[in-house]
Amino acid sequence: MDDEIKRAIRGIALLNASEHDGKTRNDAIISKIIGFKPELREKIKEVIPIISQIVDEVNTIPLPTQKSELESNFPELLVVKPKQDRTGLPPLEDAEQGRVVTRFPPEPNGYPHIGHAKAAIIDEEYAKMYGGKLIFRFDDTNPENERLEYYAAIKVGLDWLGVKYDQVKNTSDDMELIYKKAEEFIQSGYAYVCTCNKETISKNRREMVSCKCSFGDLSQNIKRWNSMFEKYKPREAIVRFRGDMHSENTAMRDPTLLRIIDEPHPIHKDRYRVWPNYDFAVAIEDSVDGVTHAFRTKEYELRNELYYEILDKLKMRKPRVLEFARLEFDGMPVSKRVLKPLVQEGKVSGYDDPRLPTLEAMRRRGIVPEAIRRFVLSLSFTKSDTLAPFETLESFNRKIIDPTSIRLFMVTDPVKFAVKNNNMTEIEIQNHPQKDMGKRTVKIDGFFYVSGHDAKSLKVGDEIRLLELYNVKIVKSGPDIEAEITDNSFKPKIPKIQWVPAQNAVKIEVLIPKVLFVNEQFNENSLEIKQALTEPHYLELNVGAEIQFVRYGYCRKDSANQVIYTHK
Ligand SMILES: [Zn+2]
């Protein structure tokens, strides 16, 4: 063994001992030295005695001496690595430390999905980056679409993501303020009440002509405004911003600011019937909430002009509006227009169906919040909308769940497998190859199940290893395989397969979510269900446990008899 390796072991041992009251252990060194020199994995049998010897030596040295040797001979081990800038977000313009205020303003009109996650994470990370504040605000001024259930679901989703906010509020709680601003607008002539029908309004917008309402005097506008609260029916009158009917930006052609909606509001019931639309509410709210940097997706870019104009005319403080690209996965649309019919027609089981891009579905599928955060922050701050491959999220997720996922045996399409000369009654198996997650005892009686996939390729005379058990030679193939033990030596070239004890195998179903839409068409084969058997230890795991089924992939326990496939 060369001196460089011995030196490395001594350094690692000293560092570990100095961090643990002067005592180190073999196992603390082994994984670190393999990380340092991966090729040692092959020669671990030769390395272990050397590690033992060095560990014993180091443990006899008093702690202060360990520290001084570490400092003089291994200074490189004591250098603290700079923390990686985990956000990857570019600095904000006009951002002052301690004064940045962002907001996450979802409309409570559906279940939160990956797009909400991106917005909330960006809002929160920027608030954190500048020691500022995040406001969580429900933009709830369209009672037709909003339900209490959605307020709750969005809050649950945000909490699950671990997004911390400093304040939570509802736009609908500021209706009196919004009315006051609307009156100001009408009084000053920057807005008027239009009683034209929908078709006329659209036609005029296309043809860039004003309707006669826009020439009405102040008294007409005030009278009509007051009537919006009583006399007019929905769609009979709207408040319009006096923009520019000739503007290239269609959003500026006298857009709607307020309209009548008679649906009861989930919180305020019948208290209000005149409701601001998105543009009017969001501008006023951002301004009064003290928001400094307001993020929204690129699809709103054309409405920035209106946002600033509204605040300008009202002489209100203007936040800076910034855009980011919408996040959507290929074949996994987030649009309610697409998802709602799938739920209603029973093509998916609900908004938590593991094929969907909702946060609830991601959670059931075994995607963890930290993976979503790392993924979102890795996307860089592009403005162009791109479809992200789900595999990228999976690879972040895999790294996070691997160290805590128990390893279990599971076989799909099970085939009987008998070992005629079995000589064991039970075996202890490590729950994780590296981490200390304990062991489990599996009872053995020589009768097993193996995967149909593995069984198919077995022929009489083949030698295979039943993982953790012994090597066997196949003496009978087909639907009832029989085998005989050969020996227990390590044979690199023979297939090594997992098994499940027949006597107490647990029946489970594996739900495998596939891409939901192919070429914009619902994929009828988007959910595969496989029958499987696993070890009885499965029953002891909590619902929600992440499992790596050996030679299969990661799954999350969804119920006593069902797992959902997470990824390879
Ligand atoms: Zn009109």
Side-chain angles (χ1 to χ4, degrees):
M1 196 58 50
D2 61 49
D3 290 345
E4 189 205 347
I5 290 168
K6 284 186 184 163
R7 183 182 180 276
I9 293 172
R10 189 166 181 97
I12 293 167
L14 283 166
L15 181 65
N16 186 263
S18 72
E19 287 167 350
H20 296 90
D21 296 324
K23 295 291 170 217
T24 182
R25 305 183 326 267
N26 284 9
D27 53 351
I29 313 300
I30 293 169
S31 64
K32 290 213 174 70
I33 190 75
I34 287 173
F36 174 68
K37 287 244 171 223
E39 64 272 23
L40 290 181
R41 192 182 291 275
E42 310 293 314
K43 295 192 270 180
I44 199 70
K45 284 219 171 81
E46 299 164 45
V47 184
I48 286 175
I50 300 171
I51 293 178
S52 291
Q53 194 196 336
I54 295 174
V55 163
D56 289 344
E57 282 170 28
V58 166
N59 282 345
T60 61
I61 309 175
L63 181 59
T65 320
Q66 288 174 352
K67 284 188 174 163
S68 61
E69 184 184 338
L70 195 58
E71 281 162 26
S72 46
N73 294 352
F74 302 95
E76 72 276 10
L77 294 179
L78 296 170
V79 177
V80 180
K81 282 190 192 127
K83 268 193 191 148
Q84 267 193 336
D85 178 13
R86 61 194 282 271
T87 76
L89 295 176
L92 281 183
E93 278 179 52
D94 289 341
E96 259 183 83
Q97 199 62 34
R99 289 182 187 268
V100 168
V101 179
T102 61
R103 89 302 194 244
F104 171 61
E107 184 183 3
N109 63 353
Y111 285 88
H113 52 67
I114 188 71
H116 290 101
K118 178 174 181 182
I121 288 167
I122 287 178
D123 294 329
E124 187 203 22
E125 288 285 344
Y126 271 126
K128 269 199 292 198
M129 189 190 280
Y130 289 97
K133 186 169 113 164
L134 168 64
I135 299 168
F136 172 21
R137 183 179 77 217
F138 287 107
D139 264 349
D140 55 346
T141 61
N142 185 357
E144 266 174 3
N145 299 332
E146 294 153 8
R147 278 158 57 178
L148 278 183
E149 168 191 359
Y150 301 139
Y151 289 76
I154 294 170
K155 186 170 180 307
V156 166
L158 218 57
D159 291 344
W160 176 72
L161 279 174
V163 169
K164 305 246 183 325
Y165 39 85
D166 301 277
Q167 187 191 337
V168 57
K169 65 172 290 195
N170 305 318
T171 298
S172 64
D173 292 334
D174 285 336
M175 286 303 291
E176 304 304 331
L177 170 76
I178 288 167
Y179 287 160
K180 202 178 127 233
K181 297 294 175 189
E183 271 161 32
E184 238 179 273
F185 245 139
I186 293 167
Q187 290 283 354
S188 57
Y190 291 126
Y192 60 91
V193 180
C194 170
T195 55
C196 298
N197 63 35
K198 215 176 143 194
E199 291 70 33
T200 310
I201 293 172
S202 312
K203 185 166 168 281
N204 286 345
R205 281 210 176 107
R206 273 197 310 275
E207 294 172 0
M208 300 185 178
V209 293
S210 302
C211 69
K212 58 180 187 306
C213 316
S214 79
F215 302 105
D217 62 11
L218 182 61
S219 68
Q220 175 184 304
N221 281 323
I222 290 176
K223 198 166 154 247
R224 285 181 172 184
W225 164 249
N226 289 329
S227 298
M228 282 179 73
F229 293 83
E230 290 155 17
K231 197 186 93 189
Y232 288 123
K233 294 194 182 66
R235 284 181 294 280
E236 282 183 355
I238 55 173
V239 177
R240 294 178 71 178
F241 179 74
R242 200 182 296 285
D244 175 4
M245 290 306 282
H246 292 96
S247 175
E248 283 302 310
N249 182 357
T250 50
M252 293 307 291
R253 293 180 197 164
D254 291 14
T256 307
L257 297 181
L258 298 106
R259 72 281 202 222
I260 300 167
I261 300 171
D262 271 338
E263 298 293 318
H265 187 272
I267 294 173
H268 303 284
K269 311 293 177 216
D270 297 322
R271 189 161 162 200
Y272 306 110
R273 74 185 296 242
V274 178
W275 292 96
N277 79 339
Y278 169 81
D279 296 292
F280 193 51
V282 83
I284 291 174
E285 288 289 286
D286 284 354
S287 185
V288 298
D289 288 345
V291 172
T292 58
H293 296 76
F295 296 95
R296 52 187 187 182
T297 49
K298 199 178 170 285
E299 65 207 277
Y300 291 100
E301 205 167 13
L302 282 178
R303 293 157 89 161
N304 289 355
E305 187 181 352
L306 177 59
Y307 181 99
Y308 290 128
E309 277 282 297
I310 289 171
L311 294 177
D312 202 51
K313 297 283 188 296
L314 289 170
K315 299 192 172 58
M316 291 175 77
R317 188 191 60 88
K318 285 180 225 141
R320 182 182 275 266
V321 182
L322 298 150
E323 291 86 30
F324 59 84
R326 212 177 133 94
L327 171 56
E328 200 168 298
F329 293 112
D330 201 4
M332 258 180 145
V334 298
S335 150
K336 276 175 288 293
R337 206 182 56 250
V338 178
L339 298 187
K340 206 172 175 187
L342 294 183
V343 174
Q344 283 169 341
E345 292 161 26
K347 288 187 163 176
V348 298
S349 60
Y351 283 99
D352 64 350
D353 187 289
R355 288 167 284 181
L356 300 188
T358 59
L359 297 184
E360 192 51 27
M362 302 261 180
R363 187 187 66 78
R364 270 187 80 199
R365 185 177 182 150
I367 302 292
V368 295
E370 184 59 22
I372 295 179
R373 185 175 294 260
R374 288 187 201 172
F375 171 67
V376 163
L377 295 175
S378 76
L379 292 173
S380 82
F381 211 70
T382 49
K383 272 204 190 181
S384 53
D385 290 341
T386 44
L387 286 177
F390 200 74
E391 294 75 45
T392 316
L393 174 60
E394 290 179 348
S395 71
F396 280 103
N397 200 64
R398 190 176 299 110
K399 275 184 216 138
I400 297 170
I401 65 171
D402 177 80
T404 52
S405 297
I406 185 171
R407 270 51 170 176
L408 283 189
F409 288 162
M410 181 272 277
V411 298
T412 52
D413 309 319
V415 170
K416 284 183 178 165
F417 191 107
V419 176
K420 293 165 78 178
N421 54 345
N422 168 63
N423 50 10
M424 296 176 80
T425 54
E426 60 177 43
I427 182 162
E428 274 199 332
I429 303 179
Q430 293 273 3
N431 289 333
H432 195 285
Q434 287 99 31
K435 301 277 162 176
D436 184 14
M437 288 179 64
K439 293 174 182 169
R440 62 187 185 276
T441 304
V442 183
K443 296 234 178 300
I444 307 293
D445 63 1
F447 294 95
F448 305 96
Y449 283 100
V450 299
S451 275
H453 172 76
D454 286 326
K456 231 186 281 172
S457 59
L458 295 177
K459 299 183 301 293
V460 172
D462 286 353
E463 191 178 21
I464 60 164
R465 179 169 183 79
L466 294 178
L467 279 168
E468 306 277 352
L469 279 177
Y470 33 54
N471 302 329
V472 296
K473 189 160 265 171
I474 308 299
V475 295
K476 180 174 172 287
S477 63
D480 278 291
I481 300 172
E482 286 177 17
E484 280 171 5
I485 300 178
T486 51
D487 59 20
N488 203 3
S489 65
F490 176 69
K491 297 176 182 172
K493 297 227 170 92
I494 64 173
K496 296 162 189 70
I497 69 169
Q498 82 280 17
W499 46 270
V500 164
Q503 55 180 326
N504 51 10
V506 176
K507 242 188 189 173
I508 56 169
E509 279 188 341
V510 185
L511 263 57
I512 308 167
K514 306 261 175 79
V515 66
L516 193 61
F517 278 78
V518 176
N519 300 328
E520 321 230 323
Q521 291 290 310
F522 174 70
N523 175 9
E524 298 288 344
N525 303 313
S526 51
L527 188 68
E528 191 184 343
I529 301 177
K530 271 194 178 285
Q531 304 303 318
L533 293 172
T534 188
E535 302 174 42
H537 190 75
Y538 172 83
L539 296 173
E540 290 170 37
L541 304 178
N542 294 330
V543 167
E546 195 64 37
I547 305 161
Q548 188 191 15
F549 287 122
V550 174
R551 296 181 66 234
Y552 188 80
Y554 296 86
C555 292
R556 180 180 176 277
K557 180 168 176 175
D558 191 54
S559 70
N561 50 18
Q562 178 171 292
V563 299
I564 299 177
Y565 183 72
T566 309
H567 44 62
K568 259 279 166 230

